[in-house]
Amino acid sequence: MRLRPPVDAESFRAEMRGLIEALAARPGHVATRLAEPLEDLSTWVLVSEWLNVGSYRRALSSYDVKTASGPLMVAALDEPSAYEVLESAAAAGQ
């Protein structure tokens, strides 16, 4: 999900840490990362990986995730945010 963080980016990051921790505590969670592109510092991305779509949907409907997602909802861009991986490759040596 792409985000436009508010002017106070440091407070936003702290709130996003709470959301990332809430997601990480849910069954089926694989990984979640908050990233900032090197070219456009005004847009960030939150990427989460799940064992399956059911785990993802149950996580989003949990109370802890709903309450922690307030900052995300304010900053989220209105565009598709759930994707199915079609092709993948791991780094060499992993």
Side-chain angles (χ1 to χ4, degrees):
M1 173 177 290
R2 290 188 329 134
L3 312 161
R4 291 232 187 258
V7 174
D8 186 2
E10 207 48 49
S11 293
F12 182 71
R13 275 184 74 178
E15 291 175 323
M16 292 303 292
R17 271 187 227 109
L19 173 58
I20 291 168
E21 290 170 6
L23 290 169
R26 303 304 307 165
H29 178 263
V30 175
T32 298
R33 295 175 298 283
L34 179 63
E36 175 182 71
L38 301 175
E39 300 84 20
D40 177 10
L41 302 180
S42 68
T43 306
W44 294 359
V45 65
L46 181 71
V47 178
S48 64
E49 298 176 42
W50 299 87
L51 290 177
N52 53 53
V53 70
S55 296
Y56 168 72
R57 289 182 177 158
R58 283 187 293 280
L60 292 185
S61 66
S62 74
Y63 177 79
D64 292 343
V65 171
K66 282 183 180 180
T67 57
S69 66
L72 172 90
M73 294 301 118
V74 173
L77 297 177
D78 186 18
E79 59 187 27
S81 60
Y83 296 85
E84 179 180 5
V85 175
L86 301 177
E87 300 288 336
S88 180
Q94 289 188 354

